[in-house]
Amino acid sequence: MKKLQGIAVSPGVAIGEALVMDTEGFRIPRRFVARDAVEEELERLHRAIDSAGAEIARNQQAVAFELGEQYAAIFEAHLRMLEGAKLRGELEEMIRDRHYSPEYAVSRTFRRYAELFEKLQAETFASKANDIRDIEKRLLRNLLGRRREGLSKLTSPVVVLAHNLTPSETANLNREFVRGFVTETGGPGSHTAVVAGALEIPAVLGTGPFLNEVSGGDLVIIDGDEGLVILHPDEETIARYQHEAEELRSLAIQLEELRDLPAETADGQRVVLLGNIEFPYEVDHCVARGADGVGLYRTEFLYLEAETEPDEEVHFEAYCRVVKAMQGKPVTIRTFDLGADKVPHLPEPEDERNPFLGLRSIRLALRNVPMFRRQLRAALRASAFGNLRIMFPLVSTLLELRQAKMVLADVVEDLEERKIEFDRNVAVGMMVEVPSACMMIEQFVGEVDFLSIGTNDLIQYTLAVDRSNKDVVGLYNAADPSVLRLIDMVLRAANQRSVPVNLCGQMSSNPLYTMLLLGLGLRRFSVTPSAIPEIKKVCRTVTIADCEEVTRRVMLMENARDIKNFLKGELKKRVPEIAP
Amino acid sequence: MEQRPATRALRVGIPEGLHMRAAMEVAKLLGRFKSHVVLVKEGQRVDGCDVLQILSLAAVQHEELTAEASGDQAEEALAALAALFDNDFAETEETTKEKG
């Protein structure tokens, strides 16, 4: 048994057979074969070597014919390397004596040669490592045949273990069969992390290298709450996690009964529970859990998934689907919130040494007005089909907000001129996620229809901490008194002017903070759809007076650890079944 | 194979060392003889007909190898091999004609 600590990005427990993807997206199959299958596996190896050889020979002929003999020599060399007696002997020995699968034997052997050549000083030999990899891949392709497609063609439940998954690979995971996933790289701020939450499957990122210790078919446990990955678990551990998974399922069923009950406190204060979504299909998760609307619709995926900039129709179709599905309940669309480095069709930024402090989000949108207009135009057109609101992210000065509103006003004018239908009263708001916006909140509230506090960025900018940097991530804490004071400032200013304000960071999805936030005066929570039942459960259990007392005591405390411990205790007293 | 193998010292002349093309020429050439030839560099012994193994010797320019040939055509194989090294692996008319 081996435990790996990574970063927890999507909660829950998954127990299942591993599907291992190597760095190049190859699916690494089972490591061992049964004793009585050895002859069959040897036969499979020989067939694969023969057909790989035939492929190389065909390449050699084709290249010789088109370019001349001297260019085809490389393939002749490949063929001879592949057919060397020693290599075949080594592979056979691994399968026969060590019961390795042919695929595993091939990767092991070729990797050894590749490493050997890489270590050599002489340049000409080091470059041979590439030839070795080329032959390895060809052989693996022949061995794996149809099975090499990896993630796209699954037929049984698996947990996916990979070096890295791109956000779109993650988004395309087969939700029927993928029970959870782990990647060696990545962190909590990454898009892959966001998508994992959207898929509602347990996920752990950033474990560091471990793929060479596991092979396809091994039993693996993913603990998405603790960020743990357990390889080769013992009987006791399996039983413990099975029990935990069972309890989570029964809690989920129990919480499901809350679906049609209103989100209100025990003393009758109505609380608005909204969902955060990234993909149009997640709107179904919101509807299924009785959300009061979509508080945050992130639109980044439209940009990340495509090679070219999405056109107005692509935006329009996605927004329409969400707005229609919510049937008149509010849907808040957050405009473009990416850095230039993440968008392939924008020019490479020149001075981006600190991307989080650089040209991103609304700043980048205001520098690329035609692109920004396309998105706003699509959003306005979709507003004719339901209750749509537009929200600008990362606003740090009043001037920025005014500029963004001017671009929007310009688009409005254009639609009016062309007599295109849209909602003239569409609400316009902003994210409060930069400390400067908190300090100037009195001025901002006069110029917006609503506010949304984004705690993920607010915490990062307030405490000056990059949460993907493990050396400083300890400073990143939603319970830090400085962060709570900023939230308090924003809620006071907004409530005084009756400007609706919600909180949409990960903090609002964590039941630990629900009482505190209610006590601070928050009445609108925008959360991961899967968290709606838990947050509703807390709301229905507590009274506002009770929450205000908890908050009063929290605001006297001086550090995040004391606050968190106190909140844990208070939650446990009132709602023991969901306390961490 | 009771009798002692015939041996011949070889020196890598070409600047690229015993790289892919050269290794392939060696393997190709030795494949034409009945004799079994082993190449030795600093105690590491490899089959002279196996390109991958020849490459893994990583013989660079000016390094010395020993070829050990046993069985029929041992001398012929060594003579052809020496000629190949002397000609810096250019596949000349002579080496082609020497095939067994």
Side-chain angles (χ1 to χ4, degrees):
Chain A
M1 187 163 87
K2 174 159 186 178
K3 282 188 186 181
L4 300 157
Q5 181 69 55
I7 299 157
V9 294
S10 184
V13 168
I15 305 172
E17 276 196 12
L19 185 155
V20 189
M21 309 287 294
D22 74 2
T23 41
E24 289 168 44
F26 257 118
R27 179 174 174 173
I28 302 174
R30 284 168 190 279
R31 185 179 293 183
F32 296 105
V33 296
R35 191 178 301 265
D36 55 9
V38 162
E39 287 308 319
E40 212 176 291
E41 296 294 326
L42 283 171
E43 184 54 37
R44 210 156 66 77
L45 172 74
H46 293 145
R47 273 202 309 272
I49 293 178
D50 290 348
S51 46
E55 268 175 34
I56 298 174
R58 276 197 301 278
N59 277 346
Q60 184 191 350
Q61 280 168 8
V63 172
F65 180 75
E66 279 169 28
L67 301 170
E69 285 290 345
Q70 69 268 42
Y71 294 100
I74 180 82
F75 291 107
E76 189 179 352
H78 281 191
L79 191 56
R80 282 175 178 271
M81 282 157 85
L82 178 67
E83 289 177 345
K86 175 97 183 286
L87 175 71
R88 201 181 278 246
E90 284 170 339
L91 293 171
E92 283 176 2
E93 189 246 82
M94 282 181 163
I95 298 169
R96 196 186 301 283
D97 300 342
R98 291 192 242 175
H99 299 151
Y100 283 178
S101 71
E103 290 89 349
Y104 186 59
V106 165
S107 353
R108 276 287 293 255
T109 308
F110 278 85
R111 256 161 231 200
R112 206 187 64 229
Y113 279 113
E115 273 165 28
L116 176 78
F117 291 144
E118 262 168 2
K119 263 187 252 153
L120 297 173
Q121 295 296 317
E123 192 70 14
T124 46
F125 287 103
S127 66
K128 292 299 160 290
N130 284 330
D131 288 291
I132 297 289
R133 286 212 187 82
D134 197 46
I135 303 172
E136 176 194 354
K137 270 197 238 168
R138 193 184 292 283
L139 201 45
L140 279 178
R141 264 202 304 277
N142 275 288
L143 276 170
L144 292 163
R146 279 214 199 108
R147 286 183 293 161
R148 84 189 158 89
E149 287 115 345
L151 286 174
S152 56
K153 301 248 164 64
L154 294 174
T155 51
S156 61
V158 290
V159 296
V160 173
L161 311 178
H163 174 66
N164 183 31
L165 288 174
T166 65
S168 52
E169 276 170 337
T170 316
N172 290 323
L173 286 178
N174 180 329
R175 285 183 289 153
E176 189 183 349
F177 295 121
V178 177
R179 293 290 150 86
F181 71 87
V182 181
T183 62
E184 293 183 327
T185 60
S190 67
H191 253 85
T192 303
V194 172
V195 180
L199 290 170
E200 304 192 348
I201 56 176
V204 174
L205 307 186
T207 55
F210 75 96
L211 291 180
N212 55 358
E213 296 171 50
V214 60
S215 72
D218 285 356
L219 191 72
V220 173
I221 297 175
I222 302 176
D223 179 342
D225 298 308
E226 300 295 326
L228 278 177
V229 183
I230 302 166
L231 310 178
H232 319 295
D234 57 31
E235 291 297 324
E236 191 195 321
T237 311
I238 296 172
R240 189 157 52 81
Y241 274 102
Q242 272 167 348
H243 179 68
E244 194 170 315
E246 196 53 50
E247 285 203 325
L248 283 173
R249 262 196 298 278
S250 68
L251 179 65
I253 292 165
Q254 201 188 323
L255 290 172
E256 206 169 300
E257 292 163 3
L258 292 172
R259 201 186 87 165
D260 300 319
L261 297 173
E264 58 180 37
T265 57
D267 52 347
Q269 170 64 53
R270 180 74 164 91
V271 178
V272 177
L273 288 184
L274 306 154
N276 294 340
I277 67 167
E278 175 105 27
F279 303 100
Y281 67 75
E282 285 180 276
V283 78
D284 305 337
H285 298 169
C286 295
V287 173
R289 290 180 176 103
D292 295 309
V294 171
L296 172 65
Y297 176 15
R298 306 181 183 95
T299 55
E300 285 67 70
F301 252 79
L302 296 167
Y303 296 92
L304 291 172
E305 277 183 336
E307 290 284 301
T308 55
E309 194 209 311
D311 64 19
E312 189 181 314
E313 291 312 307
V314 172
H315 285 287
F316 177 70
E317 270 170 41
Y319 303 163
C320 257
R321 162 145 195 232
V322 175
V323 167
K324 283 182 188 166
M326 288 316 290
Q327 299 180 341
K329 289 178 177 169
V331 172
T332 305
I333 290 186
R334 181 179 69 186
T335 61
F336 183 87
D337 189 26
L338 284 171
D341 55 327
K342 299 272 171 52
V343 192
H345 44 83
L346 287 179
E348 192 82 6
E350 283 171 22
D351 270 334
E352 209 73 329
R353 277 181 294 272
N354 292 307
F356 281 110
L357 304 179
L359 184 62
R360 54 178 287 224
S361 193
I362 192 72
R363 303 168 184 180
L364 190 56
L366 291 172
R367 288 282 191 91
N368 293 275
V369 172
M371 176 186 85
F372 193 30
R373 283 177 59 106
R374 271 189 278 283
Q375 183 175 31
L376 293 174
R377 209 165 182 277
L380 283 172
R381 281 172 56 204
S383 72
F385 297 87
N387 183 352
L388 184 142
R389 297 139 49 100
I390 294 173
M391 176 164 74
F392 302 123
L394 202 79
V395 174
S396 36
T397 66
L398 279 162
L399 189 65
E400 260 173 355
L401 174 66
R402 290 173 188 158
Q403 282 177 328
K405 285 174 77 176
M406 267 165 60
V407 177
L408 182 66
D410 201 37
V411 178
V412 163
E413 206 172 294
D414 181 50
L415 289 177
E416 275 172 345
E417 261 171 36
R418 290 165 200 260
K419 307 229 180 312
I420 295 170
E421 215 184 320
F422 69 100
D423 174 9
R424 260 152 239 274
N425 300 317
V426 68
V428 179
M430 63 178 260
M431 297 279 297
V432 181
E433 51 188 340
V434 183
S436 66
C438 300
M439 308 310 286
M440 295 294 285
I441 199 68
E442 298 282 353
Q443 283 70 32
F444 278 110
V445 286
E447 304 197 14
V448 292
D449 298 318
F450 65 92
L451 296 171
S452 182
I453 304 172
T455 45
N456 297 6
D457 272 345
L458 186 60
I459 299 165
Q460 155 169 301
Y461 291 130
T462 303
L463 291 157
V465 55
D466 172 0
R467 63 176 169 160
S468 58
N469 179 342
K470 65 173 169 19
D471 294 321
V472 294
V473 72
L475 286 169
Y476 183 95
N477 203 323
D480 196 275
S482 62
V483 175
L484 299 183
R485 273 164 181 70
L486 289 174
I487 294 173
D488 186 35
M489 273 174 72
V490 176
L491 290 174
R492 273 173 203 278
N495 287 338
Q496 204 165 26
R497 299 279 286 267
S498 299
V499 171
V501 53
N502 76 39
L503 194 143
C504 67
Q506 278 164 353
M507 187 182 186
S508 64
S509 303
N510 188 343
L512 190 65
Y513 299 113
T514 309
M515 278 193 285
L516 171 65
L517 293 170
L518 284 170
L520 284 168
L522 186 73
R523 298 293 178 262
R524 304 170 69 87
F525 292 70
S526 193
V527 308
T528 308
S530 60
I532 290 176
E534 283 191 348
I535 303 298
K536 191 189 270 187
K537 174 89 182 159
V538 179
C539 290
R540 291 182 58 84
T541 313
V542 301
T543 65
I544 293 295
D546 190 14
C547 294
E548 283 173 349
E549 176 55 21
V550 166
T551 302
R552 192 188 63 77
R553 296 189 46 197
V554 164
M555 296 309 268
L556 296 173
M557 295 180 184
E558 288 175 343
N559 70 68
R561 207 184 54 195
D562 292 348
I563 293 174
K564 258 187 148 160
N565 285 337
F566 173 71
L567 289 174
K568 266 182 208 166
E570 295 299 302
L571 184 62
K572 203 163 198 160
K573 264 191 254 168
R574 292 167 181 84
V575 206
E577 59 269 42
I578 57 173
Chain B
M1 242 156 276
E2 295 290 305
Q3 79 200 99
R4 286 171 62 85
T7 63
R8 182 77 63 103
L10 303 165
R11 192 159 184 277
V12 182
I14 48 175
E16 331 58 313
L18 207 47
H19 67 307
M20 186 110 76
R21 192 183 60 82
M24 192 172 70
E25 293 302 334
V26 170
K28 244 158 100 174
L29 176 90
L30 293 177
R32 294 173 193 143
F33 297 92
K34 288 175 192 155
S35 165
H36 177 68
V37 181
V38 173
L39 297 176
V40 190
K41 188 193 124 186
E42 291 157 9
Q44 193 185 345
R45 303 170 60 85
V46 303
D47 179 353
C49 288
D50 192 325
V51 175
L52 189 57
Q53 306 311 316
I54 299 173
L55 280 175
S56 65
L57 284 178
V60 296
Q61 192 181 20
H62 307 314
E63 277 193 309
E64 304 241 333
L65 308 174
T66 313
E68 295 180 5
S70 49
D72 281 356
Q73 295 188 313
E75 284 302 336
E76 291 95 318
L78 287 182
L81 190 61
L84 185 69
F85 271 75
D86 289 345
N87 287 322
D88 285 348
F89 300 91
E91 203 180 354
T92 59
E93 285 301 302
E94 295 90 283
T95 50
T96 333
K97 276 179 193 159
E98 272 174 342
K99 64 181 145 189

